[in-house]
Amino acid sequence: MSASEPPTWPHCAHGADPAADPVGCRGIHVPGHTVCLAHLADADRDAYLAGLAPGTDIDHRGTPFSERLLDALLNALRDPTTQRPHLGNAQFESAAFQDAAWFDSLTFQGAAWFDSVAFQGDAWFRSASFRGEASFGAATFQGDAWFDSVTFQGGATFGEATFQGGTGFPSATFQGEATFGEATFQNHTTFNSVTFQGDARFDSVTFQGGATFEAATFQSYAGFGAVTFQGEASFEAATFQGNVGLWSAVFERWVSLGPLVCAGQVQLSGAVFNGPATLSFAARRLECQRTRWLSTAEVRLRYTSVDLAHAVFEYPLTLAAEADPFVLFTGEPLEERALAHAPDAAVRMASLRGVDAAHLVLADVDLSGCLFTGTVHLDQVRLEGDCSFDTAPSGTHWRRGRPVRFTPRRTLAEEHHWRAHQPDSIPGWNVAVLGAGRAGPAQLAPVYRALRKAFEDGKNEPGAADFYYGEIEMRRHDRTGTSRAERGLLHAYWMLSGYGLRALRALGWLAAAMLVTLVLLIGFGLPKDDPKQQASGTVPPGGGKVTFEIERGDPQNPVGNPFTGKRFEKALNVTLNSVVFRSSGQDLTTAGTYIEMTSRLVEPALLALAVLAVRGRIKR
């Protein structure tokens, strides 16, 4: 209710100075009178207060309270046994507390309404107990407001309230839903050691000063949607047993979130970090879709699956897995009992789609399930420590009646999804989860190429080899961007040496080629006998110079059983020499000559592929 609106209850006819307050006093009539408690005659006020008892319902809407008048009212409701004021249902809507308002150690046995109240001085509710609903909607706290050790057994509403001074809820307990939607905290605010047993809703709240939630416990949902932190924000040692939503939140300055524990999901989608940020979470999932990081940031995690789809990094952002439990400022480790059922403390990346990874550093992160297609500048991402990827299925499988075996290599999750979708897929390729989309070889080849370059720039040539293999493998299977002739050439390259990366495959082919050459030479390439040299000369009459003309006979094809030990030795000599482009000098048949020429072309190439594969695994 605004100041210009008349109250909806019978209000005080005595009023204040009309020149100063044209509306007049808004206080509700005291029963049996036509004025409010503030303007009641002394004798009538004393009689009214004397008739009150602990636990009585009171209605003083719109009444202006001085400190003295409030003390008199609360003393009239004080329980002689506990020496604490006890109120039943208490209605203070639109009241004005002109001086300090002391509600310390007070018990509201029924509902308490403080909507649109103006606390012109400090407001103290220390150790108060609200057993029914407590509503401070649109209230204005012009001085300090302290609710430390307060217990709210019912719902607590502070929606649209304005806190102009220092504000604190340290060690308070909210057993019902706590709502602070659209409230404004102009000065430093503390929720240290607060326990929210019901939902905690801070949607669209503005914290103009610093805000601390250190050691706070959120047992149910915690919503911080569209919240604005213009000062520092700290959630150190906070525990979230349900989900937490910080979507579209705005952090104007340096922010420290954590270390905190969340048994559910931390939602940062759409949040904006304008200043440096340090986030330390032990949570099951972290959603950062469309999150904007406009300054440097460090995110350290445990137990977490992270989704960074379409996030924006304008400065370096480091996302790292923390091997050991977080340590609090007291030196004690952060309690992680809320995550006791988690399989391990590993950090898993779910998606980098739409991210510009030029400023992104990942350390010790599991990338086996990460979606990479659509990532920009992926070749500039920095992978530190043990960043693991998925692997090809192990073992031998049968497909269409023939054995299939995939050599071990690092693979992308999206290749798993594509292969699992093929009609002749074998077990071991992971099926895509709902919403993962579907990428084919044409989309995956550039992703493998970018990751290969990232590993090469990091001087990890052996690690880059797997991504080169994946890139060429995707090109071989791409029926839209790769021609038939090129696919055939790549298929031969794959069969002979695994794209120059599988030394054993190349050596196997080399051994097979040498064996074939050896058999062919023994059977057809070596002559029956080594040709003998023959000499013939002519002696002129009367003596003189003698000239000899030497001729060699043509090699003869073998007859009978050619596979003898002697012929094996000669054939082996020719075969071994052909591997290194050398001629053995052995006499060969016409067929043997062509066999040797072919082996001297094929076998050195296979040897070179094997050497290339070994070099790719040991290069630094």
Side-chain angles (χ1 to χ4, degrees):
M1 180 183 299
S2 64
S4 60
E5 294 178 349
T8 58
W9 52 82
H11 56 286
C12 182
H14 188 278
D17 183 2
D21 184 4
V23 178
C25 178
R26 303 162 65 88
I28 192 172
H29 296 171
V30 174
H33 301 277
T34 59
V35 294
C36 69
L37 181 63
H39 295 110
L40 201 62
D42 291 346
D44 293 334
R45 184 185 306 116
D46 292 341
Y48 167 74
L49 295 176
L52 298 179
T56 302
D57 295 342
I58 60 173
D59 184 357
H60 295 291
R61 288 171 285 176
T63 302
F65 280 92
S66 64
E67 183 175 353
R68 180 178 178 181
L69 179 60
L70 178 60
D71 289 344
L73 175 63
L74 297 181
N75 285 330
L77 297 167
R78 192 176 300 275
D79 189 328
T81 303
T82 62
Q83 294 300 310
R84 298 179 60 174
H86 280 236
L87 284 69
N89 293 320
Q91 293 181 269
F92 289 98
E93 296 102 308
S94 299
F97 294 90
Q98 301 167 348
D99 304 311
W102 297 84
F103 290 91
D104 291 353
S105 302
L106 188 147
T107 299
F108 295 89
Q109 296 178 351
W113 290 282
F114 287 86
D115 300 288
S116 300
V117 165
F119 292 93
Q120 299 174 6
D122 294 342
W124 303 85
F125 288 84
R126 289 173 173 167
S127 301
S129 177
F130 294 84
R131 297 181 179 177
E133 179 185 355
S135 181
F136 291 82
T140 301
F141 296 84
Q142 299 179 12
D144 294 342
W146 290 96
F147 292 82
D148 39 330
S149 301
V150 171
T151 300
F152 296 92
Q153 296 182 8
T157 302
F158 291 84
E160 301 183 24
T162 301
F163 298 85
Q164 299 178 4
T167 306
F169 291 81
S171 301
T173 300
F174 294 85
Q175 297 180 5
E177 182 176 274
T179 302
F180 290 83
E182 300 185 28
T184 300
F185 296 87
Q186 299 180 3
N187 214 316
H188 186 273
T189 306
T190 176
F191 286 87
N192 296 349
S193 302
V194 171
T195 299
F196 295 94
Q197 297 179 5
D199 291 351
R201 300 185 179 275
F202 289 83
D203 302 321
S204 301
V205 170
T206 300
F207 293 95
Q208 297 178 2
T212 60
F213 290 81
E214 297 175 0
T217 300
F218 298 83
Q219 297 181 5
S220 187
Y221 172 76
F224 290 82
V227 67
T228 299
F229 293 92
Q230 297 180 1
E232 297 179 1
S234 175
F235 286 78
E236 183 171 0
T239 299
F240 295 87
Q241 297 179 7
N243 295 333
V244 53
L246 281 156
W247 58 85
S248 300
V250 178
F251 299 87
E252 296 287 354
R253 295 174 57 190
W254 176 84
V255 57
S256 173
L257 301 181
L260 59 83
V261 174
C262 178
Q265 174 176 281
V266 177
Q267 179 65 261
L268 284 173
S269 295
V272 179
F273 294 85
N274 287 316
T278 301
L279 281 63
S280 303
F281 298 154
R284 296 302 298 269
R285 187 170 178 85
L286 174 61
E287 289 280 350
C288 293
Q289 298 185 21
R290 300 175 305 281
T291 303
R292 299 183 62 193
W293 314 80
L294 305 181
S295 186
T296 56
E298 181 183 24
V299 183
R300 308 197 70 84
L301 304 170
R302 287 172 56 80
Y303 301 97
T304 313
S305 176
V306 188
D307 188 349
L308 288 178
H310 304 287
V312 177
F313 317 122
E314 295 190 7
Y315 288 86
L317 181 140
T318 300
L319 193 150
E322 192 74 13
D324 300 316
F326 295 110
V327 178
L328 303 177
F329 64 92
T330 60
E332 299 177 355
L334 180 65
E335 180 60 56
E336 297 178 342
R337 284 182 297 180
L339 298 168
H341 298 293
D344 53 53
V347 176
R348 299 170 177 84
M349 184 64 65
S351 177
L352 285 175
R353 287 181 171 175
V355 168
D356 187 339
H359 298 293
L360 180 61
V361 180
L362 301 177
D364 301 316
V365 176
D366 183 354
L367 299 170
S368 60
C370 184
L371 304 178
F372 284 100
T373 53
T375 306
V376 181
H377 294 143
L378 185 57
D379 58 320
Q380 299 180 34
V381 67
R382 289 183 55 189
L383 302 178
E384 307 286 350
D386 181 19
C387 289
S388 58
F389 289 81
D390 211 338
T391 58
S394 59
T396 302
H397 305 269
W398 291 88
R399 183 169 59 190
R400 297 177 182 176
R402 60 185 178 86
V404 176
R405 182 181 180 86
F406 291 92
T407 54
R409 64 179 175 93
R410 301 176 188 179
T411 59
L412 298 181
E414 288 146 311
E415 181 182 349
H416 271 260
H417 303 162
W418 171 73
R419 290 188 182 272
H421 186 69
Q422 301 307 302
D424 56 353
S425 174
I426 66 171
W429 296 107
N430 300 325
V431 179
V433 297
L434 183 64
R438 187 176 301 162
Q443 293 77 36
L444 293 177
V447 175
Y448 273 114
R449 187 181 308 120
L451 287 172
R452 171 176 63 87
K453 186 176 183 300
F455 272 74
E456 289 175 346
D457 292 343
K459 305 303 180 184
N460 187 355
E461 296 287 348
D466 282 346
F467 296 100
Y468 174 75
Y469 191 105
E471 175 192 353
I472 306 303
E473 184 77 352
M474 292 300 99
R475 287 176 54 195
R476 182 169 71 91
H477 289 283
D478 182 12
R479 296 184 178 275
T480 58
T482 307
S483 65
R484 182 189 297 267
E486 184 178 352
R487 292 202 308 272
L489 183 61
L490 293 176
H491 191 79
Y493 193 22
W494 165 73
M495 289 186 61
L496 291 175
S497 63
Y499 310 118
L501 295 172
R502 300 295 181 258
L504 290 179
R505 190 178 304 180
L507 291 174
W509 281 107
L510 175 60
M514 292 174 64
L515 179 61
V516 171
T517 301
L518 185 65
V519 172
L520 292 176
L521 285 174
I522 294 175
F524 307 101
L526 297 178
K528 176 182 178 182
D529 296 304
D530 291 335
K532 306 295 183 181
Q533 292 186 350
Q534 296 179 355
S536 61
T538 302
V539 179
K545 185 177 180 181
V546 178
T547 301
F548 292 93
E549 185 177 326
I550 302 176
E551 297 179 355
R552 298 182 60 184
D554 293 334
Q556 301 297 315
N557 290 326
V559 295
N561 180 21
F563 295 95
T564 64
K566 185 176 182 180
R567 290 175 62 82
F568 173 80
E569 182 180 357
K570 291 180 180 181
L572 182 61
N573 181 272
V574 175
T575 302
L576 293 177
N577 277 279
S578 67
V579 176
V580 290
F581 291 103
R582 290 182 56 192
S583 175
S584 63
Q586 173 67 44
D587 293 315
L588 300 172
T589 64
T590 301
T593 301
Y594 286 105
I595 292 171
E596 183 187 34
M597 291 171 59
T598 303
S599 65
R600 288 172 65 183
L601 176 65
V602 173
E603 292 167 6
L606 293 172
L607 179 62
L609 290 175
V611 173
L612 179 65
V614 173
R615 179 179 179 274
R617 290 299 179 184
I618 63 176
K619 182 181 177 182
R620 282 291 185 269

